[in-house]
Amino acid sequence: MEKRVLFKSTWLPWLLLAPQFCIITVFFFWPAGQALLQSFQLQDPFGLSTEWVGLDNFKALFSDSGYLESFKTTAVFSTLVATIGIGVSLMLAVLADRIIKGALFYRTLLIVPYAVAPAVAGVLWIFMFSPSLGIVSYWLAQSIGFQTDYLLNSNHAMGLIVSAAVWKQVSYNFLFFVAGLQSIPKSLIEAAAIDGAGPWKRFTSIQFPLLSPTTFFLLVINLVYAFFDTFAIIDATTHGGPGRDTSTLVYKVYYDGFKAMDLGGSAAQSVVLMVIVIALTVFQFRYVEKKVNYA
């Protein structure tokens, strides 16, 4: 039976919504509207003169091979961060769910990376991947003879920023998966075990299907995170290099706007990025959500 709260006065619901509406207006609608306006303008680097240029900024963008290449870089980076991050988090959550002694300490330890700032996470991974001093580089060279150099090799640089971004986001995913696993009735797991189902069979037939709403939610969140919130990691590690091989769409927005001082082109890029994320989210809710089991 659906429960609804009925307000006697008509203004009280609007009054309760007003703080949230003000926050969304100031921090989302206003900047988004400003970016949309600037994408149709050409400004000098100091903002002293403005000229209306219509769609010229967008035409220049899609004729720029560097910008088109950043689409491919962003697609590869986002896919790797979302899939690896969700996969590792799910594995850790399943293992943590089985621990009886010291479970609280183990779970707390896995949450620690979420408290680390993205820029700090990037610096930590630079030290680990440093060709001369990094422990990861040393271990790879000693164990399998693999030499890493993220300053010159594009694949190594991509591996570095993906590792840092996944490490930063694993804690967030882990919390949701642990909560989802603990909400599954233990009687279902015990009944399947009595029927002879092994751990893998119980996971694939019971636990993972019941975790599909959580997995779908985390898929959306991780893609948005990879698109927007990884700027600090990229800026602290590779600066979009070598060349522009790790320059994602959001990093190119910053680079063109604040270093190349192309304010109109940067605003046009932010509008394109916003449209891509909105379209991707709508597509996920429209088609991928149909495969989610909420029962």
Side-chain angles (χ1 to χ4, degrees), residues 150-166:
Y150 70 90
L151 296 174
L152 298 176
N153 190 299
S154 302
N155 294 329
H156 297 178
M158 178 61 74
L160 170 61
I161 61 173
V162 168
S163 301
V166 168

Side-chain angles (χ1 to χ4, degrees), residues 69-70 73 239-248 251-252 255:
E69 187 66 25
S70 66
T73 304
H239 299 283
R244 301 258 64 88
D245 290 340
T246 57
S247 178
T248 59
Y251 190 78
K252 189 168 173 53
Y255 185 88

Side-chain angles (χ1 to χ4, degrees), residues 84-291:
I84 297 175
I86 291 176
V88 172
S89 307
L90 180 59
M91 182 186 69
L92 292 174
V94 171
L95 295 175
D97 191 50
R98 294 180 181 177
I99 292 178
I100 298 176
K101 294 183 64 176
L104 182 61
F105 172 76
Y106 182 57
R107 291 168 187 168
T108 305
L109 199 63
L110 287 171
I111 298 171
V112 169
Y114 193 64
V116 179
V120 177
V123 173
L124 290 175
W125 280 86
I126 281 181
F127 281 116
M128 289 192 290
F129 270 85
S130 171
S132 57
L133 302 173
I135 187 171
V136 174
S137 299
Y138 175 80
W139 179 79
L140 290 173
Q142 294 297 319
S143 58
I144 58 176
F146 185 77
Q147 302 290 338
T148 62
D149 189 354
Y150 70 90
L151 296 174
L152 298 176
N153 190 299
S154 302
N155 294 329
H156 297 178
M158 178 61 74
L160 170 61
I161 61 173
V162 168
S163 301
V166 168
W167 180 79
K168 180 73 181 67
Q169 189 69 1
V170 156
S171 303
Y172 183 88
N173 301 337
F174 172 78
L175 286 174
F176 280 90
F177 277 131
V178 167
L181 286 169
Q182 291 181 342
S183 67
I184 297 175
K186 297 299 180 186
S187 58
L188 287 176
I189 309 299
E190 293 169 357
I194 292 173
D195 289 340
W200 177 249
K201 183 66 176 178
R202 295 198 296 270
F203 174 75
T204 55
S205 60
I206 297 176
Q207 291 176 307
F208 189 68
L210 292 177
L211 284 175
S212 57
T214 305
T215 307
F216 172 70
F217 166 76
L218 290 176
L219 176 64
V220 175
I221 294 297
N222 276 257
L223 285 176
V224 174
Y225 162 74
F227 267 87
F228 289 104
D229 295 341
T230 52
F231 161 77
I233 292 176
I234 297 172
D235 191 52
T237 53
T238 64
H239 299 283
R244 301 258 64 88
D245 290 340
T246 57
S247 178
T248 59
L249 289 171
V250 69
Y251 190 78
K252 189 168 173 53
V253 169
Y254 158 76
Y255 185 88
D256 288 354
F258 288 91
K259 292 193 173 181
M261 301 305 292
D262 181 9
L263 300 180
S266 178
Q269 291 179 44
S270 65
V271 170
V272 172
L273 183 60
M274 183 169 58
V275 170
I276 290 173
V277 173
I278 292 174
L280 197 58
T281 305
V282 170
F283 173 80
Q284 289 173 328
F285 277 94
R286 180 70 177 81
Y287 296 102
V288 181
E289 193 185 27
K290 290 182 178 179
K291 300 183 183 298

